Amino acid sequence: MKLTFLGAAGEVTGSQHLIETSSRRLLLDCGFFQGPRAESRRKNERLLCEPKQLDGVILSHAHIDHCGNLPRLYRLGFRGPIFCTEATADVAELMLLDSAKIQEEDANYLSRKLRGNHPPIEPLYTAEDVRELLKLFEPCPFGEWHDVGHRNELRLRFSPAGHILGSAITEIDINDAGERKRIVFTGDVGRRNMPLLNDPAIITDGADVVICESTYGNRLHGSSQDMKALLLKTLLEAEARSGRVIIPAFALGRTQQVTYFLNDLFNSGLLPPIPIFVDSPLATRVTQLFLRHQLELDADLQEVVKHDPDPFGFHNLTYVANQQESMELNRRTGSFVVVSASGMCESGRVVHHLRHAVSDPRNTILLMGYQAPHTLGRQLAERHSTVRIYNQDYPLQAQVLQLDGLSAHADVTDLKWWFEESTRHGHFGKAFLVHGEPDAAQALATTIRDYVDEEPIVPKFGESFEI
């Protein structure tokens, strides 16, 4: 049996890992590389696995860096099943249709920029590719073994990962020519005691191989409750300065956490009377999925909805309905808050809001999580003297705050806890650490070496291992 790392190896994007047995080829995730436009397109248009030879995909969750290249996989000939949780299937539909729209817009933009007799740029995939791909999804409930193939050859089971709605830790039992192996793929591991989501499940039956993320393998996060206090403090200070607050937030997960906190502050009478806008059509649709799948959310949310049927909405919160309303926000005066995608400030309506906000010292940009290298979000986090937006340089004079308390990724203490608690019940053999920058992955390898039988491995891109 062979394991090859085709993405998120030595970096935090483009999750994709290939399992090959004597009779099957399975892909764990098929994510987009996210970064500068030209580099991203070059990496995403070339798949290193052969789509037509794949027997299936196991999808950990519906973030674009984990699912975003599935439609291209389909476009290039893949027709196998895609296994995921029910909520992940619903969320992936929204995320991938939105991604297809971006691919088509980007292709049109690049085609217009070409000179001479160059052929037009094709999108990496289209909305039609997404709609056909969705027919391949096979949703599986949490906690139940799902048989794949014949003669007990392969089965899988999903458990909550606590990362985003629907996210799963996957246990895979494989019978390869009479030799049975168990592989655990964490996808992205969430944090304990976070709003909305249940804690990550521990593994009680051990595993021969663990493939684990390491995004924050060398970092500690602040408390999510501290984040609520800091959010309130930021809004009060902005109101005093008559400034606006721009919160670039991922449409999936982070926006719902922010609005959930704001709803709690409103109900507690602490929130200042400052207009708040969620300006992301995708975030609005994702929020409806949170309500649809609320029985998968944590006990605190279940209590809240007993007396508040909309935990993501309140009197002075407005979900922006259309592009015209979005444009009008930038003509407003006085204090207000805009929560808008994308979280790394690379695309979407938030880029327009940042363009109008970055050069005014009364304003605040509130970054809510990890910012990948070379993105506008990373430039803001590093407080460059100028930032480039739509090919124009703007002086960065607004305040920039980066709050990691709402990070959806486990930090080093959460990951150590997960390995420690899981290995109380059964041993882990090999561990491969992915989805982390090199320093973070190496630090986590040192942290967990006492919980696995062999020295943890940080694989390089394209590297293969016999297991």
Side-chain angles (χ1 to χ4, degrees), residues 415-416 418-424 426-431 433 442-457:
L415 292 167
K416 183 176 183 290
W418 186 81
F419 274 90
E420 183 176 18
E421 291 300 312
S422 294
T423 53
R424 289 184 191 277
H427 82 280
F428 284 164
K430 296 177 183 291
L433 302 181
Q442 292 292 349
L444 183 60
T446 300
T447 299
I448 66 164
R449 60 163 44 113
D450 291 338
Y451 303 109
V452 292
D453 294 345
E454 301 181 23
E455 187 71 17
I457 297 170

mmCIF file of all heavy atoms in Angstrom, residues 415-416 418-424 426-431 433 442-457:
data_model
loop_
_atom_site.group_PDB
_atom_site.id
_atom_site.type_symbol
_atom_site.label_atom_id
_atom_site.label_comp_id
_atom_site.label_asym_id
_atom_site.label_seq_id
_atom_site.Cartn_x
_atom_site.Cartn_y
_atom_site.Cartn_z
ATOM 1 N N LEU A 415 -3.931 19.796 19.642
ATOM 2 C CA LEU A 415 -3.414 18.636 18.907
ATOM 3 C C LEU A 415 -2.737 17.655 19.845
ATOM 4 O O LEU A 415 -2.912 16.439 19.698
ATOM 5 C CB LEU A 415 -2.451 19.110 17.813
ATOM 6 C CG LEU A 415 -3.105 19.887 16.663
ATOM 7 C CD1 LEU A 415 -2.051 20.587 15.816
ATOM 8 C CD2 LEU A 415 -3.968 18.967 15.806
ATOM 9 N N LYS A 416 -1.981 18.163 20.808
ATOM 10 C CA LYS A 416 -1.355 17.278 21.806
ATOM 11 C C LYS A 416 -2.433 16.522 22.586
ATOM 12 O O LYS A 416 -2.320 15.313 22.822
ATOM 13 C CB LYS A 416 -0.482 18.096 22.747
ATOM 14 C CG LYS A 416 0.275 17.265 23.795
ATOM 15 C CD LYS A 416 1.181 18.165 24.610
ATOM 16 C CE LYS A 416 1.992 17.340 25.613
ATOM 17 N NZ LYS A 416 1.156 16.796 26.696
ATOM 18 N N TRP A 418 -5.410 15.750 21.553
ATOM 19 C CA TRP A 418 -6.053 14.758 20.684
ATOM 20 C C TRP A 418 -5.200 13.494 20.573
ATOM 21 O O TRP A 418 -5.713 12.374 20.672
ATOM 22 C CB TRP A 418 -6.305 15.359 19.302
ATOM 23 C CG TRP A 418 -7.081 14.456 18.402
ATOM 24 C CD1 TRP A 418 -8.438 14.278 18.392
ATOM 25 C CD2 TRP A 418 -6.550 13.580 17.408
ATOM 26 N NE1 TRP A 418 -8.791 13.353 17.436
ATOM 27 C CE2 TRP A 418 -7.655 12.909 16.823
ATOM 28 C CE3 TRP A 418 -5.281 13.310 16.945
ATOM 29 C CZ2 TRP A 418 -7.512 11.967 15.797
ATOM 30 C CZ3 TRP A 418 -5.122 12.379 15.926
ATOM 31 C CH2 TRP A 418 -6.219 11.714 15.366
ATOM 32 N N PHE A 419 -3.901 13.639 20.382
ATOM 33 C CA PHE A 419 -3.024 12.468 20.321
ATOM 34 C C PHE A 419 -2.975 11.740 21.670
ATOM 35 O O PHE A 419 -3.034 10.507 21.722
ATOM 36 C CB PHE A 419 -1.610 12.889 19.900
ATOM 37 C CG PHE A 419 -1.417 12.954 18.409
ATOM 38 C CD1 PHE A 419 -1.665 14.132 17.713
ATOM 39 C CD2 PHE A 419 -1.000 11.841 17.697
ATOM 40 C CE1 PHE A 419 -1.500 14.196 16.335
ATOM 41 C CE2 PHE A 419 -0.827 11.888 16.321
ATOM 42 C CZ PHE A 419 -1.078 13.073 15.641
ATOM 43 N N GLU A 420 -2.883 12.503 22.734
ATOM 44 C CA GLU A 420 -2.782 11.889 24.064
ATOM 45 C C GLU A 420 -4.048 11.102 24.406
ATOM 46 O O GLU A 420 -3.977 9.944 24.846
ATOM 47 C CB GLU A 420 -2.537 12.978 25.108
ATOM 48 C CG GLU A 420 -2.341 12.459 26.516
ATOM 49 C CD GLU A 420 -1.998 13.561 27.501
ATOM 50 O OE1 GLU A 420 -2.242 14.749 27.178
ATOM 51 O OE2 GLU A 420 -1.512 13.239 28.596
ATOM 52 N N GLU A 421 -5.216 11.719 24.194
ATOM 53 C CA GLU A 421 -6.469 11.043 24.529
ATOM 54 C C GLU A 421 -6.725 9.859 23.605
ATOM 55 O O GLU A 421 -7.207 8.802 24.042
ATOM 56 C CB GLU A 421 -7.636 12.036 24.452
ATOM 57 C CG GLU A 421 -7.611 13.084 25.536
ATOM 58 C CD GLU A 421 -7.684 12.458 26.917
ATOM 59 O OE1 GLU A 421 -8.563 11.579 27.141
ATOM 60 O OE2 GLU A 421 -6.863 12.819 27.777
ATOM 61 N N SER A 422 -6.429 9.991 22.314
ATOM 62 C CA SER A 422 -6.659 8.892 21.377
ATOM 63 C C SER A 422 -5.776 7.697 21.700
ATOM 64 O O SER A 422 -6.228 6.542 21.620
ATOM 65 C CB SER A 422 -6.412 9.362 19.935
ATOM 66 O OG SER A 422 -7.364 10.332 19.541
ATOM 67 N N THR A 423 -4.548 7.945 22.081
ATOM 68 C CA THR A 423 -3.629 6.826 22.344
ATOM 69 C C THR A 423 -3.802 6.234 23.735
ATOM 70 O O THR A 423 -3.135 5.261 24.075
ATOM 71 C CB THR A 423 -2.168 7.261 22.127
ATOM 72 O OG1 THR A 423 -1.882 8.439 22.890
ATOM 73 C CG2 THR A 423 -1.909 7.541 20.649
ATOM 74 N N ARG A 424 -4.698 6.776 24.538
ATOM 75 C CA ARG A 424 -5.084 6.091 25.780
ATOM 76 C C ARG A 424 -5.879 4.826 25.464
ATOM 77 O O ARG A 424 -5.942 3.900 26.265
ATOM 78 C CB ARG A 424 -5.944 7.001 26.659
ATOM 79 C CG ARG A 424 -5.214 8.164 27.299
ATOM 80 C CD ARG A 424 -6.151 8.918 28.220
ATOM 81 N NE ARG A 424 -5.592 10.181 28.670
ATOM 82 C CZ ARG A 424 -4.754 10.321 29.685
ATOM 83 N NH1 ARG A 424 -4.388 9.244 30.375
ATOM 84 N NH2 ARG A 424 -4.291 11.508 30.011
ATOM 85 N N GLY A 426 -5.788 3.161 22.163
ATOM 86 C CA GLY A 426 -5.143 2.283 21.196
ATOM 87 C C GLY A 426 -3.915 2.974 20.644
ATOM 88 O O GLY A 426 -3.796 4.198 20.703
ATOM 89 N N HIS A 427 -2.983 2.235 20.106
ATOM 90 C CA HIS A 427 -1.729 2.842 19.661
ATOM 91 C C HIS A 427 -1.856 3.435 18.268
ATOM 92 O O HIS A 427 -2.681 3.002 17.464
ATOM 93 C CB HIS A 427 -0.591 1.806 19.700
ATOM 94 C CG HIS A 427 -0.573 0.916 18.490
ATOM 95 N ND1 HIS A 427 -1.416 -0.161 18.340
ATOM 96 C CD2 HIS A 427 0.189 0.969 17.363
ATOM 97 C CE1 HIS A 427 -1.177 -0.748 17.174
ATOM 98 N NE2 HIS A 427 -0.214 -0.081 16.563
ATOM 99 N N PHE A 428 -1.030 4.436 18.003
ATOM 100 C CA PHE A 428 -0.842 4.984 16.673
ATOM 101 C C PHE A 428 0.529 4.538 16.186
ATOM 102 O O PHE A 428 1.520 4.639 16.914
ATOM 103 C CB PHE A 428 -0.888 6.515 16.675
ATOM 104 C CG PHE A 428 -2.267 7.104 16.793
ATOM 105 C CD1 PHE A 428 -2.432 8.432 17.146
ATOM 106 C CD2 PHE A 428 -3.406 6.352 16.534
ATOM 107 C CE1 PHE A 428 -3.688 9.014 17.246
ATOM 108 C CE2 PHE A 428 -4.675 6.908 16.635
ATOM 109 C CZ PHE A 428 -4.824 8.239 16.997
ATOM 110 N N GLY A 429 0.581 4.066 14.941
ATOM 111 C CA GLY A 429 1.850 3.631 14.372
ATOM 112 C C GLY A 429 2.611 4.811 13.786
ATOM 113 O O GLY A 429 3.323 5.527 14.473
ATOM 114 N N LYS A 430 2.456 5.012 12.474
ATOM 115 C CA LYS A 430 3.110 6.135 11.802
ATOM 116 C C LYS A 430 2.230 7.379 11.873
ATOM 117 O O LYS A 430 0.995 7.280 11.881
ATOM 118 C CB LYS A 430 3.355 5.809 10.327
ATOM 119 C CG LYS A 430 4.311 4.663 10.039
ATOM 120 C CD LYS A 430 4.382 4.423 8.527
ATOM 121 C CE LYS A 430 5.254 3.245 8.176
ATOM 122 N NZ LYS A 430 6.684 3.497 8.453
ATOM 123 N N ALA A 431 2.880 8.542 11.894
ATOM 124 C CA ALA A 431 2.161 9.814 11.800
ATOM 125 C C ALA A 431 2.802 10.670 10.728
ATOM 126 O O ALA A 431 4.029 10.856 10.712
ATOM 127 C CB ALA A 431 2.177 10.539 13.139
ATOM 128 N N LEU A 433 2.554 14.491 9.116
ATOM 129 C CA LEU A 433 2.058 15.818 9.466
ATOM 130 C C LEU A 433 2.021 16.691 8.222
ATOM 131 O O LEU A 433 3.050 16.942 7.590
ATOM 132 C CB LEU A 433 2.937 16.437 10.544
ATOM 133 C CG LEU A 433 3.034 15.594 11.824
ATOM 134 C CD1 LEU A 433 3.913 16.281 12.854
ATOM 135 C CD2 LEU A 433 1.649 15.302 12.398
ATOM 136 N N GLN A 442 7.276 20.725 11.955
ATOM 137 C CA GLN A 442 8.400 20.156 12.698
ATOM 138 C C GLN A 442 8.207 20.304 14.195
ATOM 139 O O GLN A 442 8.547 19.404 14.976
ATOM 140 C CB GLN A 442 9.707 20.817 12.259
ATOM 141 C CG GLN A 442 10.135 20.493 10.837
ATOM 142 C CD GLN A 442 10.539 19.033 10.666
ATOM 143 O OE1 GLN A 442 10.699 18.286 11.620
ATOM 144 N NE2 GLN A 442 10.703 18.617 9.414
ATOM 145 N N ALA A 443 7.659 21.421 14.624
ATOM 146 C CA ALA A 443 7.396 21.613 16.051
ATOM 147 C C ALA A 443 6.374 20.600 16.557
ATOM 148 O O ALA A 443 6.532 20.032 17.651
ATOM 149 C CB ALA A 443 6.907 23.039 16.303
ATOM 150 N N LEU A 444 5.319 20.368 15.766
ATOM 151 C CA LEU A 444 4.321 19.385 16.181
ATOM 152 C C LEU A 444 4.917 17.983 16.206
ATOM 153 O O LEU A 444 4.584 17.175 17.089
ATOM 154 C CB LEU A 444 3.109 19.427 15.253
ATOM 155 C CG LEU A 444 1.965 18.491 15.621
ATOM 156 C CD1 LEU A 444 1.419 18.805 17.018
ATOM 157 C CD2 LEU A 444 0.843 18.557 14.590
ATOM 158 N N ALA A 445 5.798 17.675 15.276
ATOM 159 C CA ALA A 445 6.456 16.361 15.271
ATOM 160 C C ALA A 445 7.174 16.116 16.596
ATOM 161 O O ALA A 445 7.121 15.016 17.164
ATOM 162 C CB ALA A 445 7.435 16.267 14.102
ATOM 163 N N THR A 446 7.845 17.141 17.101
ATOM 164 C CA THR A 446 8.522 17.017 18.393
ATOM 165 C C THR A 446 7.518 16.831 19.523
ATOM 166 O O THR A 446 7.723 16.012 20.437
ATOM 167 C CB THR A 446 9.381 18.267 18.649
ATOM 168 O OG1 THR A 446 10.358 18.392 17.604
ATOM 169 C CG2 THR A 446 10.084 18.196 19.992
ATOM 170 N N THR A 447 6.398 17.544 19.454
ATOM 171 C CA THR A 447 5.392 17.493 20.516
ATOM 172 C C THR A 447 4.743 16.118 20.644
ATOM 173 O O THR A 447 4.466 15.645 21.753
ATOM 174 C CB THR A 447 4.315 18.559 20.270
ATOM 175 O OG1 THR A 447 4.920 19.843 20.285
ATOM 176 C CG2 THR A 447 3.216 18.499 21.327
ATOM 177 N N ILE A 448 4.498 15.452 19.506
ATOM 178 C CA ILE A 448 3.697 14.210 19.542
ATOM 179 C C ILE A 448 4.533 12.946 19.444
ATOM 180 O O ILE A 448 3.967 11.850 19.427
ATOM 181 C CB ILE A 448 2.649 14.204 18.409
ATOM 182 C CG1 ILE A 448 3.341 14.141 17.032
ATOM 183 C CG2 ILE A 448 1.717 15.396 18.536
ATOM 184 C CD1 ILE A 448 2.420 13.745 15.906
ATOM 185 N N ARG A 449 5.856 13.054 19.412
ATOM 186 C CA ARG A 449 6.662 11.860 19.145
ATOM 187 C C ARG A 449 6.467 10.768 20.203
ATOM 188 O O ARG A 449 6.633 9.589 19.910
ATOM 189 C CB ARG A 449 8.142 12.218 19.025
ATOM 190 C CG ARG A 449 8.783 12.851 20.230
ATOM 191 C CD ARG A 449 10.323 12.793 20.155
ATOM 192 N NE ARG A 449 10.847 13.144 18.874
ATOM 193 C CZ ARG A 449 11.586 14.232 18.615
ATOM 194 N NH1 ARG A 449 11.838 15.081 19.613
ATOM 195 N NH2 ARG A 449 12.055 14.444 17.424
ATOM 196 N N ASP A 450 6.063 11.136 21.413
ATOM 197 C CA ASP A 450 5.863 10.130 22.463
ATOM 198 C C ASP A 450 4.533 9.390 22.316
ATOM 199 O O ASP A 450 4.280 8.433 23.056
ATOM 200 C CB ASP A 450 5.921 10.788 23.842
ATOM 201 C CG ASP A 450 7.312 11.277 24.210
ATOM 202 O OD1 ASP A 450 8.289 10.762 23.619
ATOM 203 O OD2 ASP A 450 7.428 12.162 25.075
ATOM 204 N N TYR A 451 3.681 9.835 21.377
ATOM 205 C CA TYR A 451 2.359 9.228 21.235
ATOM 206 C C TYR A 451 2.237 8.341 20.001
ATOM 207 O O TYR A 451 1.153 7.823 19.720
ATOM 208 C CB TYR A 451 1.283 10.326 21.188
ATOM 209 C CG TYR A 451 1.320 11.227 22.403
ATOM 210 C CD1 TYR A 451 1.765 12.532 22.307
ATOM 211 C CD2 TYR A 451 0.947 10.744 23.660
ATOM 212 C CE1 TYR A 451 1.821 13.354 23.413
ATOM 213 C CE2 TYR A 451 0.996 11.560 24.778
ATOM 214 C CZ TYR A 451 1.433 12.864 24.652
ATOM 215 O OH TYR A 451 1.493 13.668 25.764
ATOM 216 N N VAL A 452 3.326 8.179 19.268
ATOM 217 C CA VAL A 452 3.311 7.322 18.079
ATOM 218 C C VAL A 452 4.491 6.360 18.140
ATOM 219 O O VAL A 452 5.494 6.621 18.812
ATOM 220 C CB VAL A 452 3.363 8.160 16.780
ATOM 221 C CG1 VAL A 452 2.078 8.956 16.601
ATOM 222 C CG2 VAL A 452 4.551 9.094 16.768
ATOM 223 N N ASP A 453 4.359 5.228 17.446
ATOM 224 C CA ASP A 453 5.381 4.190 17.509
ATOM 225 C C ASP A 453 6.674 4.577 16.786
ATOM 226 O O ASP A 453 7.753 4.123 17.158
ATOM 227 C CB ASP A 453 4.844 2.884 16.904
ATOM 228 C CG ASP A 453 3.711 2.293 17.724
ATOM 229 O OD1 ASP A 453 3.535 2.727 18.884
ATOM 230 O OD2 ASP A 453 3.000 1.409 17.207
ATOM 231 N N GLU A 454 6.539 5.398 15.729
ATOM 232 C CA GLU A 454 7.702 5.783 14.946
ATOM 233 C C GLU A 454 7.837 7.295 14.923
ATOM 234 O O GLU A 454 6.885 8.016 15.197
ATOM 235 C CB GLU A 454 7.575 5.246 13.510
ATOM 236 C CG GLU A 454 7.434 3.721 13.434
ATOM 237 C CD GLU A 454 7.332 3.233 12.005
ATOM 238 O OE1 GLU A 454 7.796 3.968 11.105
ATOM 239 O OE2 GLU A 454 6.784 2.140 11.793
ATOM 240 N N GLU A 455 9.031 7.770 14.593
ATOM 241 C CA GLU A 455 9.267 9.209 14.519
ATOM 242 C C GLU A 455 8.308 9.834 13.502
ATOM 243 O O GLU A 455 8.211 9.385 12.356
ATOM 244 C CB GLU A 455 10.715 9.469 14.093
ATOM 245 C CG GLU A 455 11.128 10.928 14.136
ATOM 246 C CD GLU A 455 11.264 11.476 15.544
ATOM 247 O OE1 GLU A 455 11.352 10.673 16.504
ATOM 248 O OE2 GLU A 455 11.269 12.709 15.683
ATOM 249 N N PRO A 456 7.554 10.890 13.915
ATOM 250 C CA PRO A 456 6.626 11.527 12.973
ATOM 251 C C PRO A 456 7.348 12.042 11.734
ATOM 252 O O PRO A 456 8.496 12.490 11.799
ATOM 253 C CB PRO A 456 6.028 12.680 13.784
ATOM 254 C CG PRO A 456 6.202 12.257 15.215
ATOM 255 C CD PRO A 456 7.492 11.489 15.254
ATOM 256 N N ILE A 457 6.655 11.993 10.614
ATOM 257 C CA ILE A 457 7.218 12.370 9.319
ATOM 258 C C ILE A 457 6.515 13.620 8.796
ATOM 259 O O ILE A 457 5.283 13.716 8.829
ATOM 260 C CB ILE A 457 7.072 11.226 8.300
ATOM 261 C CG1 ILE A 457 7.866 9.996 8.764
ATOM 262 C CG2 ILE A 457 7.524 11.658 6.906
ATOM 263 C CD1 ILE A 457 7.585 8.745 7.949
#
